Amino acid sequence: MSVPAEDEVLIRREGRAGHITLNRPRALNALTYDMVLGIWTALNSWARSSDVDLVILDGSGERALCAGGDVRSLYDSRIQGSGFARKFWADEYRLNALISRYPKPFVAIQDGIVMGGGIGLSSHARHRVVTERSTLAMPETAIGLIPDVGGTWLLAHAPGALGAYLGLTGTTMNGADAIHARFADAFVASQKLPELKQRLCDPSGGPVEAVIAEMKQAAGPSPIAAHTAEIDGIFSENSVAAILQKLAAAGTDWAQKTAAVMQPRSPKAMALTFAAIENARVMPALEHALDVEYRLVTRLFEDGEFPEGVRAQIV
C-alpha cells in the first residue's frame, strides 16, 4: 500500500524550528516531485516567518535520510517524452540552490543512506551532521547519469582529486569520509540525535553552532583518506581513459578493485561527469554548475542512456 502523497514529507513547527521529515521509509525516503514542491513551499514560508529561527531536515526510520530521487517515476515517464523529467529536475535543482543560500541556519541530519537527491537536500546545507550509520554516495554513473543536484559542484571542491574519484566510481563514504570530502561537517552519535534535535528546537537552546559544537564527537579516521596518494596520483589525469590506463599500470589491489568498479559503468556518463567536475572547479557559484547539470541530465534522458541504465540496474 503506497503512502498518501500528503504524508510523503512531514512539515511542521517545533519550538523555534521548522522541521522537515522525509517520510517514505519503505522507499528509503526517495524524493518524489510532490515532496520537492512541499519542501520548496515550506522553506519559502519559513524564510519570511519571525517564528522560525532555523530549519531541521531528517528522514523517517533509521535506514536513510534519502536514498535519492524517485528514478522509477522518471523512468516510467519516458513514454510521454522528457517533459516530466525536465520539470522534476528543474524544480529539484531550484530547491538545491535555495538550500545553499538559505537565510536561516539549516541543519541536515545525514543519518543512514544519503545518495543522489539526498545529497542535494543535505550537503548544500549550512550545518551537515553525520552519524556512525551514515553512508553517502553519488552513484549516478552506474545508471547512465552524472552526479547532479549540485553534485559536480561538491565534488569539484573536495580535496585534491577526490571529487573525480568519488564521481566516477560512486564509492560510498562513511561519516568520517564525508567530513574529509567536505560533504558533511560534524559527527554526532545516532543515539544522541533526539537530544540534538530537542536542543535545536528549544527556544532557549542557544546558537545552532554552539549546540552542534557541544554535541559533536571525533568521527575517527577516514578510510578513503588513507588512499589519498593513490587517488591524487591517478585521478588527477586529464581523461577517464588516462585514469583507467594508470589504474591498470598501477597493478595494486586497490587499483584493480577501483578499475573493476568503473568497468561496468556508462562510458558516456563517466566522460560527462569528469568534464563537469573539471568545469565546476572554475565556476563562480553553485547555480552555474546546476545549469550545466540540467543540460547534461536531460541529454542523457533523451538519448536513452539514463532510461537504459535504470532498466538494467533497477527495473
Side-chain angles (χ1 to χ4, degrees), residues 94-111:
R94 178 180 65 162
L95 176 59
N96 302 146
L98 173 62
I99 290 170
S100 77
R101 50 181 163 77
Y102 201 65
K104 298 179 180 182
F106 190 116
V107 183
I109 309 297
Q110 298 175 303
D111 186 35

Side-chain angles (χ1 to χ4, degrees), residues 114-304:
V114 188
M115 296 184 180
I119 296 286
L121 291 178
S122 62
S123 284
H124 300 301
R126 194 182 308 181
H127 305 284
R128 306 162 301 176
V129 177
V130 288
T131 74
E132 78 283 355
R133 300 188 298 215
S134 295
T135 55
L136 284 72
M138 297 295 291
E140 286 78 6
T141 56
I143 55 169
L145 205 62
I146 66 162
D148 64 331
V149 296
T152 61
W153 174 263
L154 293 164
L155 293 166
H157 292 84
L162 180 57
Y165 168 73
L166 293 172
L168 294 175
T169 65
T171 296
T172 297
M173 299 177 276
N174 68 11
D177 292 328
I179 293 171
H180 171 66
R182 302 172 186 162
F183 277 63
D185 307 299
F187 179 96
V188 175
S190 60
Q191 65 182 10
K192 293 189 176 182
L193 290 180
E195 180 185 353
L196 173 64
K197 295 174 194 177
Q198 186 276 324
R199 290 184 61 181
L200 289 170
C201 293
D202 187 344
S204 60
V208 171
E209 294 83 355
V211 171
I212 295 174
E214 288 175 15
M215 296 199 63
K216 71 178 184 180
Q217 303 167 244
S222 160
I224 288 176
H227 293 283
T228 295
E230 293 160 295
I231 290 170
D232 288 350
I234 295 173
F235 283 82
S236 57
E237 290 293 326
N238 61 7
S239 69
V240 176
I243 289 169
L244 289 170
Q245 288 174 359
K246 203 158 187 179
L247 284 169
T252 65
D253 182 58
W254 179 88
Q256 290 176 352
K257 289 180 179 178
T258 302
V261 167
M262 293 176 63
Q263 189 277 329
R265 292 174 179 260
S266 163
K268 181 185 292 186
M270 286 197 295
L272 291 175
T273 293
F274 187 80
I277 293 170
E278 289 300 300
N279 289 337
R281 295 184 196 279
V282 296
M283 288 178 176
L286 167 65
E287 286 82 356
H288 295 264
L290 287 167
D291 286 342
V292 172
E293 291 173 4
Y294 181 76
R295 293 197 295 272
L296 293 178
V297 295
T298 54
R299 171 182 166 185
L300 289 164
F301 184 95
E302 291 170 352
D303 72 9

